[in-house]
Amino acid sequence: MTSQTPKPKLVLPLKTRAALSVLSALTDFTRRSNGTVNRGFLKILDFKSPSKAKSVNGVSTKDVTVDKYRKLWIRVYTPTPSSADGVLPVVIFFHGGGFTFLSADSFAYDAVCRQFCHRTPAVVVSVNYRLTPEHRFPCQYDDGEDVLKFLAENPSVLPENADLKKCFLAGDSAGANLAHHVAVRVAKSGLRGVRLVGLISIQPWFGGEERTDSELKYKDAPLVSISRTDWLWKAFLPEGSDRDHWAVNVSGANSEDLSGLDYPSALVIVGGFDPLQDWQRRYCEWLKKSGKKVQLIEYPTMFHAFYIFPELPESSRLVSQVKDFITTESLI
Ligand SMILES: *[C@@H]1O[C@H](CO)[C@@H](O)[C@H](O)[C@H]1NC(C)=O
Ligand SMILES: *[C@@H]1O[C@H](CO)[C@@H](O)[C@H](O)[C@H]1NC(C)=O
């Protein structure tokens, strides 16, 4: 006889539940079976926040073009007054959305970056990288790396007290996948004037051909159900590749050897209701095995992307933990 443990239930405020259902439905309605995305429809519901030069809640923002031909731009968040606090770390942030959805000026991500900027304090640079399926792998990684090169060559786009020798890469979901691969590229090639001291990996989006226990257990989870992630990986990967590609199955047999690389110290956030948690734990194990410093923080009652919902106390807690990590790693 097999004894079955009942599946724990995700308990959320009504507001959060409603928002999650709407977001999940939106990603379903706009993804077409022929592999394209209905951008026109998506635009109506992806609320944007403009940049604000005037300080709002202790943060001012400006948008800077990196490459007009590929429409690559960044939003720079500066804590105000910026001169009062001595040198500030720089956090390069990559938003989530399966490489397909959202942008640096999406309402939720603008709000999150303001929090990181104000509460750390740090200069935050949010990257508006190109999206799939219009621009597939490795465009996103190229854009991420090119933004770092751009900052190294044009430090004057940042406030004077921004210190690129205290640089952090950060991202959630697909953005954390992106942050990882940019960290590997920079560790390999080096970048004059920039030193990566930390990687903030919030519920990174990794995967593989195998279906893990957590994927099967939470296969109908909001946002990152198996059917959604399968579609998104297909839209991202080169034709003919499967999910055991090194960009996806980062800790698998096709992965990079990190052991000799100067990979930054990592903070990894995992949620107990996230189907991706098994892949995320494997990622941590792999970093450790490769001799890297990793701190894993678990949120047993949280789901994928919880921290973009400011009504949850866990969202605020995460911002504090990121602050602590940045403070500690900046001192080393
Ligand atoms: C995919 O479907 C949409 C809507 O039916 C259509 O407008 C578009 O041209 C199709 N694209 C391709 C590449 O088949
Ligand atoms: C993908 O990942 C799983 C788990 O880490 C591993 O067992 C499998 O061999 C991987 N596949 C490849 C091609 O690396």
Side-chain angles (χ1 to χ4, degrees):
M1 246 178 54
T2 55
S3 71
Q4 280 222 321
T5 47
K7 197 155 107 182
K9 210 168 152 7
L10 178 60
V11 184
L12 290 176
L14 184 61
K15 181 181 171 187
T16 317
R17 241 180 8 214
L20 266 180
S21 306
V22 170
L23 271 176
S24 298
L26 193 64
T27 65
D28 294 339
F29 288 136
T30 51
R31 278 186 294 114
R32 298 190 184 112
S33 54
N34 70 4
T36 64
V37 169
N38 188 341
R39 294 273 172 218
F41 184 67
L42 208 56
K43 231 184 223 159
I44 304 170
L45 288 157
D46 182 7
F47 301 109
K48 306 285 187 187
S49 295
S51 61
K52 297 188 179 89
K54 210 173 132 237
S55 172
V56 180
N57 297 327
V59 177
S60 69
T61 57
K62 67 169 177 183
D63 294 345
V64 178
T65 300
V66 174
D67 178 4
K68 68 178 176 193
Y69 297 105
R70 57 181 140 154
K71 297 197 179 95
L72 177 60
W73 57 269
I74 51 178
R75 177 163 292 180
V76 181
Y77 296 79
T78 304
T80 47
S82 70
S83 51
D85 301 302
V87 294
L88 292 173
V90 178
V91 179
I92 317 290
F93 180 84
F94 303 104
H95 69 81
F99 292 128
T100 299
F101 301 110
L102 303 167
S103 58
D105 57 350
S106 289
F107 179 81
Y109 280 110
D110 185 68
V112 159
C113 287
R114 284 178 166 277
Q115 289 288 316
F116 288 139
C117 172
H118 176 64
R119 285 177 55 189
T120 304
V123 173
V124 177
V125 175
S126 183
V127 179
N128 202 63
Y129 57 85
R130 286 170 291 173
L131 300 176
T132 58
E134 294 86 351
H135 305 278
R136 287 168 175 260
F137 162 92
C139 291
Q140 294 72 28
Y141 303 166
D142 293 343
D143 291 355
E145 188 185 11
D146 288 345
V147 163
L148 277 168
K149 286 184 182 156
F150 173 82
L151 293 174
E153 285 160 18
N154 304 277
S156 63
V157 304
L158 301 177
E160 233 166 49
N161 56 343
D163 187 357
L164 282 167
K165 299 275 182 198
K166 288 180 182 162
C167 189
F168 290 79
L169 296 178
D172 70 312
S173 196
N177 174 302
L178 211 171
H180 162 71
H181 289 292
V182 171
V184 173
R185 284 188 180 194
V186 172
K188 276 181 169 170
S189 63
L191 196 53
R192 241 185 131 83
V194 176
R195 196 167 72 95
L196 293 185
V197 294
L199 175 81
I200 298 150
S201 185
I202 304 168
Q203 303 184 291
W205 188 41
F206 297 127
E209 282 299 310
E210 181 197 337
R211 304 295 188 197
T212 67
D213 290 345
S214 63
E215 279 178 313
L216 295 172
K217 191 167 175 188
Y218 299 113
K219 66 179 183 341
D220 301 318
L223 305 173
V224 282
S225 61
I226 284 181
S227 63
R228 295 191 188 104
T229 54
D230 279 3
W231 189 98
L232 292 166
W233 285 129
K234 196 156 178 266
F236 170 70
L237 285 167
E239 295 282 353
S241 296
D242 67 17
R243 293 186 305 275
D244 280 333
H245 189 282
W246 57 263
V248 184
N249 195 347
V250 278
S251 41
N254 301 329
S255 71
E256 300 269 353
D257 179 10
L258 292 189
S259 48
L261 294 181
D262 189 15
Y263 189 87
S265 165
L267 171 68
V268 181
I269 310 285
V270 173
F273 284 91
D274 188 342
L276 306 178
Q277 61 189 286
D278 288 346
W279 292 111
Q280 294 161 354
R281 290 203 181 87
R282 283 176 189 176
Y283 171 59
C284 288
E285 286 309 311
W286 171 62
L287 290 181
K288 264 186 223 157
K289 252 191 244 151
S290 311
K292 307 305 161 197
K293 194 170 146 199
V294 193
Q295 185 188 347
L296 171 65
I297 298 183
E298 305 243 10
Y299 280 82
T301 61
M302 286 291 109
F303 55 96
H304 194 76
F306 70 91
Y307 89 111
I308 64 167
F309 297 91
E311 66 272 22
L312 301 174
E314 287 83 356
S315 169
S316 179
R317 204 200 307 160
L318 183 141
V319 176
S320 302
Q321 287 163 340
V322 167
K323 172 199 162 92
D324 292 344
F325 176 76
I326 292 175
T327 309
T328 310
E329 296 301 326
S330 292
L331 293 174
I332 295 171

